[in-house]
Amino acid sequence: MPDFLPSNSPTDSRSEPRPDSRPAVGRRTLLGAAAAATAAPVVLGSASRAAAAPAPRKKPRALPGGGDLGPNVLVFDPSTPGIQARLDEVFRQQESAQFGTGRYALLFKPGTYSGLNAQLGFYTSIAGLGLSPDDTTINGDVTVDAGWFNGNATQNFWRSAENLALVPANGTNRWAVAQAAPFRRMHVRGGLNLAPSGYGWASGGYIADSRIDGQVGPYSQQQWYTRDSAIGSWLNGVWNMVFSGVEGAPAQSFPNPPYTTLASTPVSREKPFLYLQGSEYRVFLPEKRTNARGVTWGNGTPRGTSLPLTQFYVARPGVSAATLNQALEQGLHLLLTPGIYHLSEPLRINRANTVVLGLGYATLIPDGGVTAVKVADVDGVRLAGFLVDAGPVNSPTLLEIGPRGASRDHSANPTTVQDVFIRIGGAGPGKATTSMVVNSRHTIIDHTWVWRADHGDGVGWETNRADYGVVVNGDDVLATGLFVEHFNKYDVQWFGQRGRTIFFQNEKAYDAPNQAAIQNGSTKGYAAYRVGDAVTSHEGWGLGSYCYYNVDPTIVQHHGFAAPVRPDVRFHNLLVVSLGGQGQYECVINDTGSPTSGTSTVPSTVVSYP
């Protein structure tokens, strides 16, 4: 058996598991190619203890930092017996559990491991525990394939790999994923194949801060975003391949081949990660970079700071929102261990530089229509590595970065939202008017998938109603890797000034019952990505929107993108696609761009706008 972390703290009660849902057959099946802690507030009693005066209220007992990571964090070292058997056991459980309740983090202590093939199923994260990927080497593979879904990789969601060096057994590692499956801080000493066995359908994906010594082969991948990495070469492209700050990236050539290439990323700050310093767990916080290019870890110790685990409240499933908020008020950060967390009130992050880090796709479910997470207008908050799953009672918002009207300058120390995913429906009925609202200036949204489910349980035009995906009100917000899909109205609305998006992937809602259901005044349909009429400066690179109106294939969507016509509102390399002729676009952006037509699933593109 593997080397489990010792249990030295009580285990919280856990939610009852629900049966796994079987995969649905939908569009993705049918179409191919196609840090000192601050003290807790003190409640003061009366200065004079008169006989009739009430006794002073007691402060809650201080919560401890650090402790046990729980039973679903599996920690291995090179001497652990039976590693492959344990990896296989987790994979058998998670391979097809698309809407199940299992959550796992597989962590490897620094050292060298040989002969392993870690196959990753749903809600499974694998990571090394070194300060550099090269501290933890697997002579073998970390594999995502699609045998569970008949060779179709378009539903390989919610899994991740991080902070490992791989020496693939046959020279090339297979990572056939779709949305919400980041490949971060990885060193592949060989090639990387992004397609499933047999080169079936695929619809990903995201790489950051990684070095692939050999060739990256996307093959059937419809779109992909790679940021601040180094690659030996890149093989091909289908619709939308975007690179920023990538050494070895192909030259700009959109639309043929469909490469959008930026020499650098304007601002980036890598995701926090857990690592071992001797026998002590710490969380490393990479520093912000401007005009970033290449990996952060290639030359000596990475730049940044770290926090001991004792400064984190190590949360376990079943803990209450009140306890999590007490920990935050006490000055602790949050480490969410794998599992399901029901929230009766929002998590309130009011302190600058607070870290909320999830392991193994820890999942927050707001109950009673509350917002899951609210962040104050403060510097340097880092949200990373968790899933927000809407509850059955409509939430006005699920994630709020800054209150309405936030206006403070955070350029020196922005808030980052990284590998934070939002889901409405699929695992059961869920509703939210708006999924994510960003009010704070200079926020960096670095890889998110905000998804109104098109398959699973609790899915229907009104059943999992969700009008808006992401709304950006704050100025100077940057999105790198923005995936937003299937909302009843606008998927993205951007009202802040000087916003920038590098890579956007979208599908309009499949299940619109008819043309009238999506009519937007005199306009046919709601744009996937809308820039507000008052915005005077905005820029986007490598943005794509697809339609698949399979309930009523006669539906016409006027355009994928809408924006005011101003010289400083600029777009580069846009595309719209009708998937198999199930609905059509008349234009790409505003009234510009050729219509899609027929059943050919060929993109209509605009290279530069205006």
Side-chain angles (χ1 to χ4, degrees):
M1 293 298 292
D3 175 16
F4 290 95
L5 288 176
S7 293
N8 52 22
S9 64
T11 300
D12 291 306
S13 61
R14 299 180 184 278
S15 57
E16 287 294 319
R18 292 181 284 118
D20 294 342
S21 299
R22 301 305 301 167
V25 177
R27 192 285 301 175
R28 296 178 187 273
T29 312
L30 299 175
L31 292 178
T38 56
V42 177
V43 180
L44 300 177
S46 171
S48 63
R49 290 189 169 265
R57 292 176 59 193
K58 281 187 172 182
K59 283 192 305 181
R61 180 178 297 176
L63 295 168
D68 175 21
L69 298 182
N72 288 354
V73 176
L74 280 56
V75 181
F76 306 103
D77 67 38
S79 65
T80 302
I83 297 176
Q84 186 65 56
R86 190 65 176 110
L87 296 175
D88 291 346
E89 180 184 350
V90 172
F91 179 65
R92 280 192 299 271
Q93 178 181 323
Q94 299 302 114
E95 180 183 12
S96 59
Q98 182 170 180
F99 298 112
T101 57
R103 303 287 188 273
Y104 289 93
L106 312 173
L107 304 183
F108 287 75
K109 294 181 181 180
T112 300
Y113 302 76
S114 295
L116 296 182
N117 180 19
Q119 299 183 80
L120 299 188
F122 287 97
Y123 313 109
T124 306
S125 298
I126 188 170
L129 287 170
L131 198 53
S132 164
D134 288 327
D135 292 341
T136 310
T137 298
I138 292 178
N139 290 307
D141 296 85
V142 171
T143 300
V144 178
D145 208 340
W148 74 279
F149 203 37
N150 301 315
N152 175 359
T154 61
Q155 291 183 25
N156 280 348
F157 313 139
W158 304 307
R159 63 203 76 197
S160 66
E162 184 173 4
N163 203 30
L164 291 164
L166 304 178
V167 183
N170 70 352
T172 300
N173 189 78
R174 186 181 303 280
W175 185 255
V177 298
Q179 289 76 19
F183 196 82
R184 287 185 181 269
R185 200 177 176 80
M186 295 287 287
H187 185 187
V188 181
R189 299 177 193 164
L192 188 64
N193 182 344
L194 305 180
S197 298
Y199 302 96
W201 309 329
S203 179
Y206 175 91
I207 294 171
D209 200 24
S210 293
R211 181 179 297 277
I212 293 90
D213 293 346
Q215 183 177 76
V216 180
Y219 299 103
S220 54
Q221 284 287 353
Q222 295 163 345
Q223 67 277 316
W224 198 277
Y225 176 50
T226 308
R227 178 182 64 72
D228 299 347
S229 294
I231 61 175
S233 61
W234 190 273
L235 179 62
N236 72 298
V238 178
W239 293 339
N240 192 31
M241 305 282 120
V242 180
F243 309 84
S244 67
V246 178
E247 298 169 355
Q252 169 68 38
S253 58
F254 188 90
N256 188 25
Y259 298 149
T260 297
T261 302
L262 286 71
S264 61
T265 304
V267 186
S268 69
R269 189 174 67 192
E270 299 302 333
K271 173 181 171 289
F273 62 92
L274 191 69
Y275 76 104
L276 276 171
Q277 182 174 289
S279 60
E280 178 194 17
Y281 283 99
R282 300 182 69 89
V283 173
F284 192 81
L285 308 177
E287 71 172 18
K288 186 189 76 166
R289 298 196 291 169
T290 57
N291 299 317
R293 182 173 173 84
V295 300
T296 63
W297 46 266
N299 298 302
T301 302
R303 299 177 66 89
T305 58
S306 77
L307 299 170
L309 196 63
T310 53
Q311 292 187 19
F312 285 77
Y313 178 71
V314 179
R316 301 279 292 277
V319 69
S320 69
T323 298
L324 296 172
N325 279 325
Q326 181 190 339
L328 291 167
E329 290 164 9
Q330 193 178 304
L332 293 171
H333 308 277
L334 294 183
L335 185 73
L336 304 173
T337 65
I340 310 293
Y341 297 76
H342 282 270
L343 304 178
S344 60
E345 61 185 66
L347 298 186
R348 295 183 177 90
I349 301 168
N350 297 321
R351 179 171 48 91
N353 301 310
T354 298
V355 179
V356 179
L357 176 61
L359 300 179
Y361 285 83
T363 301
L364 307 179
I365 301 179
D367 292 332
V370 303
T371 298
V373 180
K374 289 188 173 186
V375 180
D377 193 22
V378 295
D379 274 354
V381 171
R382 304 185 195 223
L383 307 180
F386 58 89
L387 172 65
V388 178
D389 204 354
V393 178
N394 185 74
S395 293
T397 60
L398 294 171
L399 173 61
E400 181 182 276
I401 308 299
R404 184 186 297 272
S407 60
R408 294 180 58 188
D409 186 317
H410 302 293
S411 55
N413 186 13
T415 285
T416 46
V417 181
Q418 299 177 285
D419 301 347
V420 173
F421 309 117
I422 296 176
R423 178 175 68 195
I424 301 95
K431 292 187 177 183
T433 304
T434 303
S435 292
M436 181 191 300
V437 179
V438 180
N439 293 316
S440 287
R441 294 180 62 193
H442 302 100
T443 298
I444 300 172
I445 306 168
D446 177 43
H447 189 227
T448 189
W449 185 38
V450 181
W451 185 57
R452 175 182 168 265
D454 62 277
H455 62 271
D457 293 334
V459 171
W461 184 249
E462 296 296 342
T463 307
N464 61 330
R465 182 84 194 186
D467 283 352
Y468 308 110
V470 175
V471 175
V472 179
N473 297 314
D475 295 340
D476 306 292
V477 171
L478 171 66
T480 51
L482 185 61
F483 299 73
V484 188
E485 297 191 293
H486 306 312
F487 285 84
N488 294 78
K489 293 185 178 179
Y490 291 112
D491 298 276
V492 172
Q493 293 189 94
W494 206 298
F495 300 113
Q497 299 289 355
R498 297 175 299 281
R500 292 174 291 185
T501 295
I502 304 172
F503 184 87
F504 171 68
Q505 187 263 324
N506 166 264
E507 288 178 345
K508 295 301 299 174
Y510 297 168
D511 55 347
N514 49 48
Q515 186 77 44
I518 66 159
Q519 193 67 17
N520 180 16
S522 61
T523 302
K524 299 172 185 173
Y526 292 83
Y529 187 108
R530 174 199 175 203
V531 178
D533 294 342
V535 172
T536 58
S537 177
H538 187 91
E539 196 158 11
W541 296 263
L543 282 61
S545 177
Y546 322 145
C547 74
Y548 182 71
Y549 289 116
N550 62 335
V551 174
D552 181 358
T554 68
I555 290 176
V556 174
Q557 175 87 20
H558 181 61
H559 48 218
F561 304 91
V565 183
R566 294 193 173 96
D568 287 334
V569 177
R570 302 189 296 269
F571 289 90
H572 314 275
N573 305 343
L574 302 174
L575 67 111
V576 296
V577 181
S578 169
L579 303 177
Q582 305 293 295
Q584 301 291 343
Y585 291 91
E586 292 180 325
C587 304
V588 178
I589 180 169
N590 294 343
D591 300 321
T592 298
S594 300
T596 57
S597 61
T599 60
S600 55
T601 314
V602 173
S604 177
T605 62
V606 168
V607 173
S608 181
Y609 185 87

